[in-house]
Amino acid sequence: MTVQANYEQIPLKEYAERAYLDYSMYVVLDRALPFIGDGLKPVQRRIVHAMSELGLAAGAKPKKSARTVGDVIGKFHPHGDSACYEALVLMAQPFSYRYPLIDGQGNFGSPDDPKSFAAMRYTESKLTPIAEMLLGELGQGTVEWTPNFDGTLEEPSWLPARLPHVLLNGSTGIAVGMATDIPPHNLREVASACIRLLDDPDATTADLCEHVRGPDFPTAAEIITPRRELLAMYAAGTGSVRCRAVYAQEDGNVVITALPYQVSPSKILEQIAAQMRARKLPMLEDLRDESDHANPIRLVLVPRSSRVDLEAMMQHLLATTDLEKSFRVNLNMIGLDGRPQVKGLRAILGEWLRFRTDTITRRLTHRLAKVERRLHLLEGLRIAYLNLDEVIRIVRSEDEPRPVLMRRFALSAEQTDYILETRLRQLARLEEMQINAERDQLEEERARISVLLKSPAKLKSLLKDELKADAAKYGDGRRAPLVEREVAQALDESALVASEPVTVVLSQKGWVRAAKGHDIDAAELNFREGDGFGAAAAGRTTQQAAFIDSTGRSYSTPAHSLPSARGNGEPLTGRFTPPAGARFDAVAIADAESRLVLASDFGYGFVTAFETLCGRNKAGKQVIHLEDGARVLAPAAVADPARDRIVVATSDGHLLMFSVAELPELDKGGKGNKLIEIPKARLVSGEERVAGVAVVSEGIGEVILHAGQRKLILKWSDLVEYGGNRASRGGLLPRGFRRVERVQGA
């Protein structure tokens, strides 16, 4: 006997593709994207419908949220209870929804932490009055009903929204391969745009934007996006909206009273505090959170002094924190054709008006059928009243009065059943009069509905009247003001650092630190065991500090970021990545446009701008070419290249002074020109090297020479004796100073 297989064999590739596409379509259509008709995702629609089934209307007493969630996941939405409850909470948060659909009682979160809501066993909820806009026409034949997940109940495929809810509360979601970001809008503005499109079907997006001026978030933060960008966003269906916090000056302080949508006060405080800890906000003394029930958002920023430019400070904070935030807009939704698509404003409103017109037509057709059925029953009842005695006789005498009545008075089965079910007390004369009055009223209503259904113009007029009525009933003023402003720009980093004197100290093993002030004897500082003084440079905290290694590469970092001299500092290898085996030999600190003399102990050098030494990455940049065995000397600052003099001293006691103008200025590094003559044999053997260079001003300069524990101070009158031409041998120093170790300009 052959057993028939109950499975299908298909290639794995085909199966994977089919499974992935099925999953993708499920996520797109049944989870992540809203339907253009009612603006709801399936879980939201099921929550609202389940609450209406539980009798949780706006005027009813609320019930535990757990009861609602249980009904939703048990009857319509077989998914996790926590995800369902979170969707319910979102629709109840006035800071998340522009027009909340659920009235929550209990802890439903706060702007500071939207997810801090209490468990569903503690909270209660019911629908808000505006939810009637979604549910009011549900039982009037306006929607199609589909079986629920187990086929035991029916649920609406959509809700008969009386307003374009897809724009009112907006929506966000991530599907497979697509996402949606629809911002909320003002109800009155959207209704006004719908009426404009009804009156003028050829209205452009620009015409509609005269009514819908932009999104309207639940918070009062300003929308600073220019109008032209908003127009482009509504035309294409994609773009961005930029929001800015609202602040004012009070008693010399800055008080923030409104934050951008979905920005929490605690996050703002954390971002500002982080900058204060990093010493990037020297103009700010303190910040306080004074928010309470009367003032939900009140953040106070206290400046360091009355001289602080508060507007410049706020511009910097707007640019570096979420006080100014951009929101992506992607008007992606499921259209009437059941397909997801990014739509512009005109397409959204036009398609929704078709949806609403169809809904009204369904409602009127459903009502017309009910009116005609009632008139049919009343006609049968009227015949019974006119022949009451005969009807009573047939009922009393016949075993099966139903077919007899139908034949005798030409009644339908429905009319006959209604007559037989009529109570005796309804046979009074007064009831007959009421029946005639009801019949007249229903005939008038039937005629009116028939006229509406046959006249597109009258149907459009009815739609406009309902939009106006709903806008008057549920609408309110705009919350988010539209104020065109330039995007905030952060202050330059140097402007955020207090300008204070500082001495950067480099140790022999490449450890760095910064001491406050210029009157620091760097050589007398304590160093780690086995380490000692290497080099030092004086400058200000607002400047860059540059370090040159033994290969001639330069690296830079802000001086204010260096560790304090109270400790041993930190190794430069933690900030930079020099070549293997390289050591840090020199340090300089100056303004970018300042000029320096850069030289090696082999007696070659040149003039360069300080910005040449500022490497932009951790690997640094090559700034001076060093011959084998050569070592870079401490850079010497040049004030006036045309008038300043350079003083060069060798370790064997030769000193030479000549004009800085004799040296070339290089901006890409190099070897430079010879500074002083040193016999090649002595240079190669290491017997004599350049001990250091210093730059002095004509007529007023002086130089300090260090030879062991002895110091020799040479004033301008002394230095003149050593003047000569560049690359000459220079003059000999006095005995006792012919072993120069270091040269210092004063």
Side-chain angles (χ1 to χ4, degrees), residues 158 214-215 516 566:
W158 64 84
K516 290 184 178 180
R566 294 176 181 175

Side-chain angles (χ1 to χ4, degrees), residues 191-408:
S192 177
C194 289
I195 294 172
R196 172 68 179 271
L197 193 57
L198 284 172
D199 291 336
D200 180 13
D202 296 327
T204 63
T205 301
D207 296 333
L208 297 177
C209 285
E210 294 176 5
H211 305 270
V212 181
R213 297 183 296 147
D216 188 20
F217 295 103
T219 68
E222 297 176 345
I223 296 176
I224 64 171
T225 305
R227 177 173 172 77
R228 66 180 182 279
E229 294 183 17
L230 292 176
L231 286 174
M233 177 191 76
Y234 283 123
T238 58
S240 63
V241 175
R242 198 167 191 84
C243 294
R244 175 180 291 186
V246 176
Y247 59 91
Q249 297 184 21
E250 289 184 14
D251 301 326
N253 299 333
V254 176
V255 179
I256 301 170
T257 56
L259 296 176
Y261 182 50
Q262 294 180 334
V263 173
S264 67
S266 61
K267 184 176 183 180
I268 294 297
L269 293 174
E270 181 182 343
Q271 290 175 335
I272 297 177
Q275 293 192 43
M276 293 177 69
R277 287 194 298 270
R279 295 183 294 178
K280 293 184 177 180
L281 284 176
M283 71 286 286
L284 194 59
E285 176 71 25
D286 190 21
L287 71 160
R288 301 191 300 268
D289 186 358
E290 297 182 357
S291 305
D292 53 27
H293 290 292
N295 302 286
I297 302 294
R298 184 178 171 82
L299 306 180
V300 181
L301 309 182
V302 182
R304 190 169 295 275
S305 71
S306 59
R307 297 188 302 274
V308 172
D309 186 343
L310 297 182
E311 191 58 37
M313 179 185 76
M314 287 306 300
Q315 285 292 313
H316 176 75
L317 290 176
L318 289 169
T320 57
T321 68
D322 284 345
L323 287 173
E324 184 173 300
K325 188 175 181 182
S326 183
F327 297 89
R328 187 180 67 169
V329 175
N330 183 25
L331 305 181
N332 190 10
M333 62 197 71
I334 299 173
L336 298 181
D337 58 0
R339 297 179 179 180
Q341 185 182 2
V342 176
K343 303 176 185 291
L345 177 63
R346 190 181 186 283
I348 292 173
L349 295 182
E351 197 164 336
W352 183 85
L353 287 173
R354 291 199 300 274
F355 166 81
R356 182 61 188 158
T357 301
D358 180 64
T359 301
I360 293 177
T361 302
R362 284 171 173 258
R363 186 188 76 200
L364 292 176
T365 303
H366 180 264
R367 178 59 185 167
L368 181 61
K370 293 187 69 174
V371 167
E372 289 180 338
R373 179 178 180 275
R374 181 62 180 168
L375 283 172
H376 182 62
L377 295 176
L378 290 177
E379 180 60 25
L381 199 57
R382 189 182 68 83
I383 292 173
Y385 274 115
L386 293 175
N387 303 277
L388 187 57
D389 293 338
E390 179 68 11
V391 170
I392 293 174
R393 185 194 66 77
I394 293 173
V395 171
R396 291 184 62 186
S397 61
E398 297 291 338
D399 293 336
E400 292 291 338
R402 186 171 183 269
V404 176
L405 286 173
M406 291 175 65
R407 288 194 305 270
R408 174 70 179 80

Side-chain angles (χ1 to χ4, degrees), residues 595-600 603-608 636 638 641-642 644-648 656 658-666 671-676 693-695 725-727:
R595 296 294 187 269
L596 302 174
V597 172
L598 204 57
S600 70
Y604 289 87
F606 55 90
V607 177
T608 189
V638 178
D644 285 356
R645 301 288 191 272
I646 180 171
V647 177
V648 185
L656 175 66
F658 59 90
S659 175
V660 173
E662 295 186 46
L663 288 179
E665 183 166 340
L666 306 178
K671 179 179 178 181
N673 290 358
K674 182 181 287 189
L675 305 177
I676 191 171
V693 297
V695 175
N725 296 322
R726 180 187 64 80

Side-chain angles (χ1 to χ4, degrees), residues 27 89 163 348 477 502 526 564 580-581 673:
V27 173
V89 168
L163 291 165
I348 292 173
V502 66
N526 292 324
S564 170
N673 290 358

Side-chain angles (χ1 to χ4, degrees), residues 559-579:
H560 70 85
S561 68
L562 297 175
S564 170
R566 294 176 181 175
N568 291 322
E570 66 178 47
L572 284 175
T573 50
R575 294 181 179 234
F576 313 122
T577 54

